[in-house]
């Protein structure tokens, strides 16, 4: 336990000082060639940004919707912190909508393979919302991540899951803040329109560093 505590503290210092590259190296973090190659297809649902690899180098090209009867996320929207405050994500009970141009970093530990993309995306986005005050539970997010890994054939080892449970909250609290504005809504609030992908989008949109 002392080893884990010291490791968490050292990584926390790295996060606060901005040396995230050292953390990526320590966690053997990388994006697989298959993920990079698939991003080059015009039909790909995500973009790979090599100048940011292996950190926040993946970006969605269109909206993605999850409907999960096992979760109650409440009703809220997550807005981009800069004007015009575009909607990045929204929760509508058991439905979670992640809008286009959301940036994430794949697996926090090890290699991100094609099977890891969807599980890591929803997990990162919900941790992002939790960090900025969304009324959701980290335990429920981690359980959903485990279920997503099984559904998509991602190899979630027992070691990786319990590392996530032990340190996920610590890293999430230490990371960059004020990258999302949480706005409460109601069941009567209409969802934001789903924008189509446009090839002339800016290369980068929002960069979030949860852990």
């Amino acid at each position: 336990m002392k080893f884990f505590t010291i490791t968490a503290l050292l990584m926390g210092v790295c996060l606060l000082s901005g040396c995230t590259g050292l953390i990526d190296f320590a966690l053997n973090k990388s994006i697989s060639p298959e993920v990079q190659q698939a991003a080059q297809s015009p039909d790909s649902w995500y973009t790979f940004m090599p100048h940011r690899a292996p950190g926040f180098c993946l970006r969605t090209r269109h909206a993605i919707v999850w409907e999960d009867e096992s979760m109650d996320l409440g009703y809220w929207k997550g807005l981009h912190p800069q004007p015009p405050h575009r909607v990045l994500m929204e929760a509508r009970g058991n439905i979670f909508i992640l809008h286009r141009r959301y940036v994430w970093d794949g697996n926090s530990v090890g290699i991100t393979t094609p099977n890891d993309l969807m599980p890591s995306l929803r997990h990162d986005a919900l941790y992002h919302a939790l960090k900025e005050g969304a009324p959701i539970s980290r335990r429920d997010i981690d359980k959903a991540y485990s279920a997503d890994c099984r559904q998509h054939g991602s190899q979630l080892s027992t070691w990786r899951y319990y590392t996530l449970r032990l340190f996920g909250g610590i890293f999430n609290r230490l990371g960059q803040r004020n990258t999302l504005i949480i706005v409460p809504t109601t069941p009567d609030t209409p969802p934001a329109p789903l924008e189509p992908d446009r090839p002339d989008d800016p290369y980068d949109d929002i960069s979030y560093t949860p852990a």
Side-chain angles (χ1 to χ4, degrees):
M1 179 59 95
K2 183 178 293 186
F3 169 78
F4 287 127
T5 301
I6 293 173
T7 301
L9 289 172
L10 289 174
M11 290 186 174
V13 170
C14 285
L15 282 170
L16 292 173
S17 62
C19 55
T20 53
L22 181 59
I23 294 178
D24 292 340
F25 176 78
L27 297 178
N28 192 31
K29 183 176 175 60
S30 64
I31 306 297
S32 74
E34 293 82 3
V35 169
Q36 298 180 39
Q37 183 176 3
Q40 299 175 17
S41 168
D43 297 325
S44 175
W45 59 271
Y46 64 92
T47 298
F48 172 66
M49 298 179 286
H51 67 290
R52 288 187 166 192
F56 288 80
C57 58
L58 302 165
R59 188 187 68 187
T60 60
R61 294 184 60 189
H62 57 74
I64 300 172
V65 180
W66 289 268
E67 186 170 359
D68 188 342
E69 296 292 340
S70 68
M71 297 190 76
D72 183 4
L73 300 171
Y75 289 83
W76 47 268
K77 290 183 179 181
L79 309 182
H80 195 293
Q82 299 176 1
H85 302 298
R86 184 174 67 85
V87 177
L88 291 174
M89 63 181 75
E90 53 190 312
R92 303 182 60 81
N94 66 341
I95 297 174
F96 180 57
I97 304 169
L98 189 62
H99 290 269
R100 57 190 294 274
R101 291 191 295 167
Y102 186 81
V103 176
W104 86 110
D105 68 337
N107 285 345
S108 298
V109 179
I111 301 173
T112 297
T113 70
N115 292 344
D116 299 318
L117 291 173
M118 279 293 182
S120 66
L121 174 59
R122 180 161 74 145
H123 188 260
D124 277 16
L126 287 174
Y127 257 52
H128 187 180
L130 174 66
K131 181 183 186 63
E132 301 294 357
I136 49 182
S137 159
R138 186 170 76 87
R139 181 182 296 274
D140 289 344
I141 296 173
D142 290 348
K143 285 183 178 179
Y145 175 63
S146 180
D148 284 347
C149 286
R150 290 193 298 271
Q151 178 183 348
H152 291 276
S154 173
Q155 298 299 314
L156 179 62
S157 65
T158 301
W159 174 84
R160 188 152 65 94
Y161 178 75
Y162 282 105
T163 299
L164 175 69
R165 290 297 302 145
L166 282 170
F167 300 130
I170 296 173
F171 293 158
N172 203 45
R173 288 191 294 271
L174 289 172
Q176 182 179 343
R177 290 188 180 276
N178 302 318
T179 57
L180 192 68
I181 301 172
I182 300 296
V183 178
T185 62
T186 71
D188 297 326
T189 304
L194 303 182
E195 302 178 51
D197 182 40
R198 292 193 299 271
D200 59 344
D201 278 340
Y203 201 49
D204 295 333
D205 185 24
I206 184 169
S207 176
Y208 164 59
T209 309

